[in-house]
Each structure stands twice: as structure tokens, then as C-alpha cells.
Amino acid sequence: MQLPETIDVHDLLPGMYVQLELSWISHPFPRSSFVISSQAQIETIRGLGLERVRWDPNRSEMRRVRAALAATAAAGGAAPARRPSWLVAEAREAEPGEAPTVPDAGVSPAAPAAQAQDPGVEPMAPEPSEPAGGAEAGAAAAAQGAAVAESPQETARRQRRQTLALQRAAQQECERCYAEATRGWRDASELLRANEPAAARERTQALTGELLQQMLSDPQSCIRLLTESAGDRSSAHALNVTVLSLLLGRLLNFTEPELQVLGMGALLHDIGKIDVPERLRYLEEGFSPSELKIYRDHVALGVVHGRRMGLEPTALLVIGQHHELADGSGFPQRLELSRLTMSARIVALVNRYDNLCNRPLPAASLTPHEALSLLFTQGPTKHDPWLMGAFVRMMGVYPAGSVVQLSDERYALVTSVNAGRPLRPRVLVYDARVPRDEALLLDLEHEPGVAIRRSLKPSQLPREVQNYLGASQRVAYFFDAAPAPLAQERIA
């Protein structure tokens, strides 16, 4: 989603919410849309070769922008060459009872207030028929009066619209980054096919580093379940496994170098499948013994590719052990838990989870809740029980993106997990009487009379409910910022 306005990079100020129209691997920032936090970030943006960037006054920290402009004026900085359109938006952003103040380096303290709010504009006497503040001050006053007159119900609807708009913008940004990352994985696999292992390693290292920085840039980053899984099945699976493995590794206090190696192994865990016929790349019950052998050979083929790429031993073990199980019933070496590295245990668990959620036939796939339940039941024999517990805590009993039916029979979509109370996440509720952009958001931790009754597959929902909630048949994950506190609304 493109932001509505553009601004010259030389007019940027801390506090502005900007969008860089560049590939996320073409700039050093964790995301392409963000609030500028420092002058150093502004200098970095100016060094990218862009003349203008998109920005959104409504998502900017306008008090901070005003303060930065005041500091520039006090230091004798140059005023903008022309009246920037964001000053009008800034006036609208002023809170009730607060007059918008934008200092001007070129206006003396005795100048009229309307001139002081207009940097870079020639002083003008106010029209006799208008207050000294001019039309903008009148518009701002009218907006403030409307805000004061707003009823509690109108305030709640406006806040829901704003919250949902922010969530959907974040969703679109995550989906864009996800799509670019899957393209990066395909680039690396094509380099291997072209017999360029060194270049493939370099490309994979760069992609892993980008993903890692995306996660580490926000210590509270959590899981975002996307409405669409971008790219082909192989690249989507590789990225899903990598995102969840890195988040789990962070939960287990892996160091940054350890996370880098874990990410490399996770991205490449199925790389041997590039040498397997496409129809045999995904396990099916009807495989003959010879077909099953070809399928299982992808592990050994992957280790061969990893050695050609010069991967570290830990990453090679992730590739070689990602189908081993704790009771020794896995393949290819039937290793028991004590012989598996922690990184391999993580990837084996996450790999199994994603395969349950994204089977070749979507109708046969399990919901995230069903997949977790099955893994938890098998935990003591198939996976490290301690690691399984950590994975459930991270994902939540109802992972983000799960479609559920509440105890009052309404349908809902889980939007974020409550780590302290995994049975009571935040949900987006379907109500045909409420416009989609004002949909009710509930934190079930604060709704003792409402609980989750059961988990559903998106295909079990009526079409209008699927569209309203944005429920997807496929499951894809990416990093997301921690959710903001939610203003509670009691159910009537």
C-alpha cells in the first residue's frame, strides 16, 4: 500500500512515518515503512539516491516533528523552500484544546500567530472577514470542536478503524517483505542449479542476515500470520521454517552468531529437493518403496550441496538431521534425541509443524491449533519434550491466524497470542452488522464471559465470513512488531 504524500528527502524530520520505495534488501533498515528516529537515519535515507519518499502525517509522531522543526529553527536552519502540505495535516493532528504550533525561523516573536505557523511563506495580513488565524486556524478549531462533540460510541468506532487500518498496513508490509525473501531463496537455489555454490552461499548468508536483523530490530517482535503465502511451495516452506526457527532460537537465548547458523540451516534444510523429481518432493501415503527412497534421498543430497557451499558443521547437521525423531524412528540415520543438535531439533520440530499446516492438498491440512495439538500429543516420543513446551508457549494454544468459534457462537480470527494466558488471545470478531473496517477487536483476557469453543478450518466458514476476517487456506509466517495495548470494549 503506497502512502498518499511524498516529501523531499531534504525536508525530512525525526518523527515522520516514511515509506521507502526500494526492495527491502536494497536499504539497511529492518522495514521499508517506519518512523524516523534520528538524524542519522535521515542521512542514510538521503544517501540511498532517492529525491523524494512517501510519508503519512496520520501515522507520524507530529509532536516530535514539531519539536524537530523548532530545534532546526532555533539553530538557524533553513526553512522549507515552499509551504509543505504536511503543515495542514499537522494542524488537523493537534489534540483538542491544543493550538497547533509550528515555529518559523524567519518570523520574529512579534509576528502574528498565523505567520509563525507558516515557515517559508511571506508575512500576510489576515483577511478582515476572518480571525487572525486564517482559514486553517478556523478549520483546526472546527475539527477540535467536532472531536470534543464526539460521543463515546463514535470515539470507539474511530479507534477501531484506526487500529484495523494500522494492522492491515502492517500486514501488507509483512507480505511484501515475505515475497521478496522467497524470491531471495529461489535465487540461491538457482545459483546451486547453475553450479555456483559460492555465490549461492553468499546469497543465503545475505538473506539470513536480513531476516535476522528484521527479527532483532524489535526485541518484542512476534509472529505475523499472513493472509496469502507468496511464492511456490518450496520457497514458502523454507521461509516459514526459518522464521519460526529463528524466533524459537531467540526464545532459547541463542547468540546472534548461533542464530545466523541456525537460519542458514533452516533456509537450506530441503535444498536437496532441487535434485528430486517434482512429483516426489512431498511425502504422500501412496509412495512405492522406490519412490519413498528417492524422496528420502533429499537429505543426503542436501548435505552434499551444503558441503559444496562450505557451510559450517552445525548448519550441515541441521540439513542432515531435520527428519530425525527423538525415539529413533526418523531418517536417514535413525538417530535418537541425545545425538541430535539443538539446532537440528528446532528445525525438525518446526518442519513437521509447517508440513502439517501446509499439506500438498489444502483440504488435508490441519489448522495451526490442530497441528500443535498433534505435536504436543506426540511430544514425548517424537520431539524433545522441553523444546515442545517452549514452542507451544511461543505459538500459543491458538496461534495467530487461527480461525475459531467463540462460546457465544460467533466466528473470530486470532490476531495475536497472550503468552501469559495462551487460551485467551486477541481476536477479530465477525459481525455482519458492523462494517469490516470497524470490526470488533477483543482481548479475551479481559472478557471473562467469552472463551474459544473450537478451532475451525477456513473452508468451514461461509464465504462472507472468510472475506470479512481475511482467513487464508494456506499458512505463512513472518516477523511482526509486538501488538499495541488494546482499548477494551465490553460486549453488550
Side-chain angles (χ1 to χ4, degrees):
M1 179 184 68
Q2 287 190 337
L3 301 184
E5 297 189 32
T6 65
I7 187 171
D8 191 290
V9 294
H10 294 93
D11 291 336
L12 292 174
L13 293 167
M16 289 182 168
Y17 185 93
V18 298
Q19 181 182 69
L20 306 179
E21 295 182 298
L22 294 171
S23 163
W24 74 303
I25 58 175
S26 299
H27 61 75
F29 299 104
R31 297 191 178 189
S32 294
S33 299
F34 56 94
V35 174
I36 297 174
S37 63
S38 66
Q39 186 63 34
Q41 288 189 342
I42 293 174
E43 296 303 324
T44 299
I45 293 172
R46 291 172 180 168
L48 296 174
L50 299 172
E51 294 183 359
R52 303 184 69 81
V53 296
R54 293 190 176 274
W55 84 294
D56 188 351
N58 293 322
R59 297 169 69 183
S60 297
E61 299 174 3
M62 294 307 294
R63 290 179 183 231
R64 191 173 179 186
V65 173
R66 294 197 298 269
L69 186 58
T72 301
R82 59 181 180 79
R83 175 182 174 79
S85 61
W86 63 265
L87 287 174
V88 178
E90 189 276 339
R92 291 197 300 267
E93 287 293 313
E95 297 185 6
E98 174 191 0
T101 56
V102 182
D104 180 14
V107 180
S108 69
Q115 297 170 20
Q117 293 181 29
D118 232 347
V121 178
E122 291 297 325
M124 295 177 61
E127 293 289 338
S129 59
E130 292 184 353
E136 287 176 27
Q144 293 171 13
V148 171
E150 191 175 60
S151 69
Q153 293 81 5
E154 290 170 336
T155 300
R157 286 197 297 271
R158 176 174 54 78
Q159 289 175 341
R160 288 203 301 271
R161 286 195 299 270
Q162 292 172 345
T163 300
L164 286 168
L166 289 174
Q167 284 193 355
R168 286 167 182 152
Q171 182 87 5
Q172 290 175 336
E173 177 67 9
C174 284
E175 287 170 356
R176 187 186 66 79
C177 292
Y178 185 95
E180 292 200 15
T182 58
R183 285 195 291 272
W185 184 91
R186 289 196 298 272
D187 289 345
S189 62
E190 288 301 322
L191 287 169
L192 270 181
R193 286 191 177 98
N195 198 29
E196 298 183 45
R201 174 193 171 102
E202 183 178 342
R203 186 70 186 88
T204 307
Q205 280 181 323
L207 178 55
T208 304
E210 294 288 349
L211 293 171
L212 190 54
Q213 290 309 308
Q214 183 93 357
M215 180 183 74
L216 296 179
S217 64
D218 182 357
Q220 301 301 316
S221 60
C222 54
I223 297 165
R224 162 78 66 172
L225 191 141
L226 307 183
T227 56
E228 291 297 335
S229 177
D232 62 275
R233 176 176 167 82
S234 295
S235 58
H237 174 66
L239 195 56
N240 285 351
V241 171
T242 303
V243 166
L244 295 182
S245 294
L246 287 176
L247 286 167
L248 187 52
R250 184 185 65 178
L251 181 65
L252 301 180
N253 297 316
F254 275 36
T255 64
E256 188 167 342
E258 288 171 336
L259 288 170
Q260 176 75 26
V261 176
L262 170 63
M264 289 280 286
L267 271 175
L268 298 169
H269 75 279
D270 269 346
I271 196 63
K273 287 184 177 181
I274 66 173
D275 296 328
V276 174
E278 188 169 355
R279 70 179 188 86
L280 300 178
R281 290 178 185 174
Y282 308 104
L283 182 62
E284 295 181 9
E285 291 184 1
F287 276 1
S288 67
S290 60
E291 289 173 330
L292 182 61
K293 180 181 182 305
I294 293 172
Y295 164 76
R296 289 185 169 182
D297 281 347
H298 80 267
V299 176
L301 293 169
V303 172
V304 171
H305 283 303
R307 286 175 176 158
R308 291 175 58 223
M309 294 170 69
L311 298 185
E312 295 189 22
T314 302
L316 289 173
L317 287 172
V318 167
I319 297 172
Q321 297 179 354
H322 76 274
H323 277 294
E324 302 288 356
L325 297 172
D327 62 0
S329 62
F331 66 90
Q333 294 183 285
R334 304 182 67 85
L335 301 177
E336 294 187 351
L337 183 64
S338 61
R339 299 182 61 189
L340 305 179
T341 68
M342 181 54 69
S343 292
R345 296 180 198 184
I346 289 173
V347 173
L349 174 59
V350 175
N351 177 63
R352 174 67 174 151
Y353 169 79
D354 191 61
N355 281 331
L356 290 172
C357 293
N358 290 302
R359 286 176 171 165
L361 293 176
S365 297
L366 303 184
T367 67
H369 174 67
E370 290 171 338
L372 274 183
S373 298
L374 177 61
L375 288 173
F376 190 76
T377 301
Q378 296 177 342
T381 59
K382 301 301 181 184
H383 299 283
D384 183 337
W386 176 80
L387 185 62
M388 185 71 232
F391 187 58
V392 172
R393 288 196 302 274
M394 182 184 82
M395 299 295 293
V397 176
Y398 297 97
S402 297
V403 176
V404 297
Q405 189 168 28
L406 303 177
S407 55
D408 59 10
E409 303 302 322
R410 290 184 298 176
Y411 297 117
L413 182 77
V414 176
T415 59
S416 63
V417 174
N418 182 344
R421 301 189 66 186
L423 290 173
R424 307 195 71 81
R426 293 182 181 187
V427 296
L428 177 73
V429 181
Y430 169 74
D431 189 334
R433 300 166 298 177
V434 178
R436 185 171 180 266
D437 64 352
E438 297 178 9
L440 181 63
L441 287 161
L442 288 181
D443 189 338
L444 296 184
E445 182 177 12
H446 302 293
E447 297 292 343
V450 183
I452 293 177
R453 184 165 74 84
R454 61 172 178 157
S455 172
L456 298 169
K457 294 182 179 179
S459 59
Q460 294 176 277
L461 298 177
R463 176 62 62 182
E464 63 271 17
V465 180
Q466 288 187 43
N467 294 337
Y468 187 101
L469 296 177
S472 174
Q473 301 291 340
R474 301 175 66 189
V475 178
Y477 296 99
F478 206 68
F479 307 112
D480 190 22
L486 180 63
Q488 287 306 303
E489 299 177 62
R490 291 291 173 186
I491 300 174

